[in-house]
Amino acid sequence: VNPPDKEGSNKPFGRRFPERKSAAARILATNLRRLRKTQGLSQKDVVDALKTDQAAISLIETGRATLPC
């Protein structure tokens, strides 16, 4: 059994953040990671520039989240 996370959820990570199957999500994930790396930026650099949190960038780069509209 997984211990509860800080929100009290026992669900495994993959169930809480399933991989997005859309082409747009895959393209966004691939392009964000590629552009970040070619510019020599860390996720922290992107976080600071976008004023967001590291978890959001990680979820986008792994295809588990998309940008909010």
Side-chain angles (χ1 to χ4, degrees):
V1 174
N2 294 323
D5 62 14
K6 63 183 175 185
E7 285 84 31
S9 175
N10 289 341
K11 293 180 184 176
F13 180 82
R15 285 185 43 210
R16 289 190 325 221
F17 301 103
E19 185 175 357
R20 306 290 175 141
K21 302 292 184 188
S22 74
R26 284 192 307 271
I27 291 168
L28 176 62
T30 300
N31 284 340
L32 178 59
R33 175 170 263 167
R34 179 182 52 81
L35 290 169
R36 178 178 64 77
K37 288 187 172 207
T38 59
Q39 294 298 312
L41 300 173
S42 67
Q43 284 187 348
K44 173 88 168 84
D45 295 328
V46 175
V47 163
D48 293 343
L50 297 178
K51 296 181 180 22
T52 188
D53 58 20
Q54 192 274 330
I57 300 301
S58 177
L59 288 170
I60 293 168
E61 284 192 357
T62 58
R64 296 185 181 282
T66 55
L67 293 173
C69 297

